[in-house]
Amino acid sequence: MTKWLHSGRRRDLCALLYDAGELRAQPLKSRLESHYDERIDPQSFYATLTSLVESGFLDRRTEGIADVYALTEAGERALLDHYEWLSATIGGRPSDYAGDHDHSDDD
């Protein structure tokens, strides 16, 4: 697993961009805050975006005075790899979430 996947916020930002294609920073931040139902510190938010850009998972371009973000191929691949792992791990079965899963093999 690549290091960027260790952060839920990074994964969630990538998921939002996967869905939207590309977004300006402020609408992206607003969607994430809406999902979390809490305010996100702007400095922390922009640091996360910068980290994803510097790691090659997001592209950033300037449109007027706003930065616009989109997933790179590497970002999309990492996100889909994580989705595949998550789907295989939980099996996508709602009954598992409800507590019906047998954890007898758990350590």
Side-chain angles (χ1 to χ4, degrees):
M1 175 188 329
T2 58
K3 188 174 182 175
W4 78 277
L5 290 174
H6 294 180
S7 165
R9 181 180 291 175
R10 291 180 187 148
R11 287 190 303 262
D12 293 345
L13 283 169
C14 289
L16 288 170
L17 288 168
Y18 180 82
D19 181 55
E22 66 178 30
L23 285 170
R24 291 180 179 207
Q26 191 56 51
L28 180 57
K29 182 176 179 285
S30 294
R31 288 183 188 195
L32 194 61
E33 288 174 330
S34 180
H35 173 68
Y36 291 162
D37 197 25
E38 66 182 35
R39 183 183 174 279
I40 298 171
D41 175 67
Q43 187 174 7
S44 174
F45 173 76
Y46 285 100
T48 302
L49 287 177
T50 298
S51 175
L52 286 166
V53 169
E54 290 174 353
S55 298
F57 296 109
L58 295 185
D59 278 329
R60 175 178 44 216
R61 66 179 173 79
T62 302
E63 187 176 277
I65 62 169
D67 288 333
V68 179
Y69 295 87
L71 278 177
T72 62
E73 280 187 36
E76 184 173 333
R77 187 173 50 253
L79 180 66
L80 293 176
D81 286 349
H82 181 73
Y83 175 77
E84 185 177 310
W85 173 82
L86 189 59
S87 295
T89 301
I90 64 172
R93 295 178 298 254
S95 62
D96 288 352
Y97 181 75
D100 295 338
H101 183 70
D102 178 10
H103 294 280
S104 60
D105 292 337
D106 292 353
D107 291 326

